[in-house]
Amino acid sequence: MIQAVAELNTENQIFYSVLVFSWAVYMWEAHLAKRQRKTYRNTTLVPEELGMIMDSETFEKSRLYQLDKSTFGFWSGLYSEAEGTLILLLGGIPFLWNVSGNLTGRFGLGSEYEITQSLSFLFLATLFSAITGLPWSIYNTFIIEEKHGFNQQTLGFFFKDAVKKFAVTQCILLPVTSLLLYIIKIGGDYFFIYAWLFTLIVSLVLVTIYADYIAPLFDKFTPLPEGELKTNIEEMARSISFPLTKVYVVEGSKRSSHSNAYFYGFFKNKRIVLFDTLLEDHSPLNKAAGNENIETHTAAGDSNEIETAETKQRPKKQETRLQ
């Protein structure tokens, strides 16, 4: 076999080396995921380290959810790897390039318009990827997420959102790619340096404007109202010299009941975004209820019950972190 590989020309050696490397990476990741699934199956009791902050019901829900997600990830990953391999072996990329050339040719644009043909090729490739990935996305949303009580989307909202994401992606991807190809075309011997600088600048710009201009196209962002929570967040940011400028709340509950939070920005202009589902456990009603429980047990003079009351307030919050 080694001799047969050595007899191949350089192009084929590189081609098959890429395939072998790709499958080797996939197999290694699949092996690690298999070990993790084994842990999910065998660990049925709350670990001692989590015993004080999580009850058995919350842990079991999290365990079953992660097990289903891991199994889904294995099959979707296997399909993706097999699809990519077949595309390469069967000449899918040259075929799509020829289709792109025929498409642009119908508008009177010949082979000399390689940037236009490249954009047509990119559009068709991303369209193909979106279509083949749609069944997996539907299964993940309406089977797995629905099974575990997280999905909040309807089919109509899901497809509308998918079309919007594809359109926004094209509006960003095609202009950026055309500029990158033009830089490569005129860059001469040092084109790779100019291309690297361009992609670096584009990446920084996208990270900066994402939450302000791109994400609001899909979800509603509102400033966190003045109150104790905002004050505590700002005080914590000051205590660690975090240059916080704004705190937003995003309406994630229309998609999923998962909770999340993130920050973004550069240098002295950083912002925090909280999912509205994350704030449910921090409402004044929940806090008042927790205080009433503690005061009731304090009046009874049972210090052990106070700890139990506090512990009962924790599992629900931890559930959102693990899910």
Side-chain angles (χ1 to χ4, degrees), residues 96-97 100 115-129 166 169-170 172-178 181:
L96 195 60
W97 178 257
S100 303
I115 293 181
T116 305
Q117 185 174 351
S118 298
L119 296 182
S120 176
F121 170 84
L122 186 60
F123 174 81
L124 294 176
T126 52
L127 179 61
F128 173 82
S129 178
F166 182 81
T169 299
Q170 300 308 309
I172 297 174
L173 183 64
L174 297 182
V176 170
T177 303
S178 63
L181 293 174

Side-chain angles (χ1 to χ4, degrees), residues 65-83:
Y65 174 70
Q66 294 297 338
L67 183 59
D68 285 347
K69 292 286 287 186
S70 181
T71 303
F72 171 80
F74 168 78
W75 290 110
S76 61
L78 178 61
Y79 168 80
S80 178
E81 192 68 26
E83 178 188 75

Side-chain angles (χ1 to χ4, degrees), residues 152-260:
Q152 303 293 331
Q153 301 182 64
T154 63
L155 271 175
F157 180 87
F158 175 85
F159 282 109
K160 179 182 177 181
D161 200 49
V163 171
K164 187 187 292 186
K165 286 179 180 178
F166 182 81
V168 172
T169 299
Q170 300 308 309
C171 290
I172 297 174
L173 183 64
L174 297 182
V176 170
T177 303
S178 63
L179 289 174
L180 178 61
L181 293 174
Y182 182 73
I183 290 173
I184 294 174
K185 184 177 181 180
I186 67 173
D189 294 338
Y190 297 99
F191 75 91
F192 58 92
I193 296 178
Y194 307 135
W196 175 77
L197 289 174
F198 174 74
T199 54
L200 176 63
I201 293 172
V202 169
S203 299
L204 294 177
V205 170
L206 289 177
V207 169
T208 302
I209 69 173
Y210 173 77
D212 290 324
Y213 300 102
I214 300 177
L217 296 174
F218 303 95
D219 299 301
K220 181 180 179 181
F221 284 70
T222 56
L224 180 66
E226 297 293 336
E228 182 181 358
L229 177 60
K230 184 176 181 180
T231 301
N232 290 339
I233 292 175
E234 291 173 340
E235 290 177 353
M236 181 184 67
R238 284 193 295 269
S239 69
I240 60 175
S241 300
F242 183 83
L244 178 64
T245 56
K246 293 182 180 180
V247 183
Y248 290 110
V249 178
V250 59
E251 188 182 6
S253 56
K254 66 180 182 179
R255 300 173 184 277
S256 172
S257 58
H258 283 298
S259 298
N260 200 358

Side-chain angles (χ1 to χ4, degrees), residues 51-55 289-298 301-316:
M52 296 297 296
I53 59 175
M54 180 181 295
D55 58 18
N291 289 337
E292 287 177 3
N293 286 337
I294 295 176
E295 290 174 1
T296 300
H297 290 297
T298 303
D302 191 343
S303 60
N304 291 329
E305 289 297 321
I306 297 175
E307 181 179 357
T308 304
E310 293 174 347
T311 304
K312 288 181 180 179
Q313 298 296 321
R314 296 171 182 168
K316 188 175 180 181

